[in-house]
């Protein structure tokens, strides 16, 4: 069984910064992609940023230049550094691990979500 544990959410003022972390644990052989999605109130879940095991990154247009995704493959951990936060970044942020290879096969996994609130 693979478990994703997120941390780092909270309340921040507009223009502030937060850093999210997500650690994957379990009998993991490899993880293809790790990323962050978010769901704002009344909206569908959307991709924020994703990074492959080789380091290729992809960002939503709305966060380019403000958010940075990084990954520590040895620790099966992904980070999201969020700067210049705006009220519209308020959402529940979910960690995703894609094509995780374990002894029982290959699957995708999700974290439980962490709340990010940007408000003065």
């Amino acid at each position: 069984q693979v478990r994703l544990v997120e941390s780092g959410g909270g309340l921040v003022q507009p223009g502030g910064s937060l850093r999210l972390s997500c650690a994957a644990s379990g009998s993991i052989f490899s993880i293809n992609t790790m990323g962050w999605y978010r769901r704002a109130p009344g909206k569908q879940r959307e991709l924020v940023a994703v990074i492959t095991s080789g380091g290729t990154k992809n960002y939503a247009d709305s966060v380019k230049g403000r958010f940075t995704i990084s990954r520590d493959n040895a620790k099966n951990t992904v980070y999201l550094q969020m700067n210049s936060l705006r009220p519209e970044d308020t959402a529940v942020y979910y960690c995703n691990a894609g094509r995780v290879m374990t002894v029982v096969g290959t699957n995708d996994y999700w974290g439980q979500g962490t709340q990010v609130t940007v408000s003065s």
Side-chain angles (χ1 to χ4, degrees):
Q1 182 70 15
V2 174
R3 188 166 175 240
L4 302 184
V5 178
E6 301 143 336
S7 61
L11 172 64
V12 65
Q13 291 186 342
S17 298
L18 283 174
R19 187 185 193 222
L20 304 182
S21 300
C22 172
S25 62
S27 299
I28 298 170
F29 293 146
S30 63
I31 303 175
N32 185 28
T33 62
M34 298 190 80
W36 293 93
Y37 292 71
R38 67 187 180 187
R39 178 179 284 142
K43 296 186 177 181
Q44 291 186 334
R45 186 163 57 188
E46 63 175 358
L47 172 71
V48 177
V50 64
I51 183 169
T52 69
S53 57
T56 300
K57 304 173 186 180
N58 189 34
Y59 295 94
D61 288 342
S62 59
V63 307
K64 283 180 181 177
R66 301 187 299 123
F67 291 10
T68 301
I69 191 169
S70 61
R71 175 174 174 172
D72 185 333
N73 289 330
K75 295 181 179 179
N76 289 329
T77 299
V78 64
Y79 307 94
L80 185 69
Q81 177 66 43
M82 305 186 292
N83 299 327
S84 302
L85 282 160
R86 304 167 180 168
E88 53 264 39
D89 294 317
T90 295
V92 178
Y93 284 70
Y94 297 91
C95 175
N96 171 267
R99 293 180 62 188
V100 180
M101 186 179 297
T102 68
V103 292
V104 298
T106 301
N107 286 291
D108 295 349
Y109 295 89
W110 291 90
Q112 78 284 358
T114 185
Q115 177 71 46
V116 171
T117 302
V118 184
S119 175
S120 55

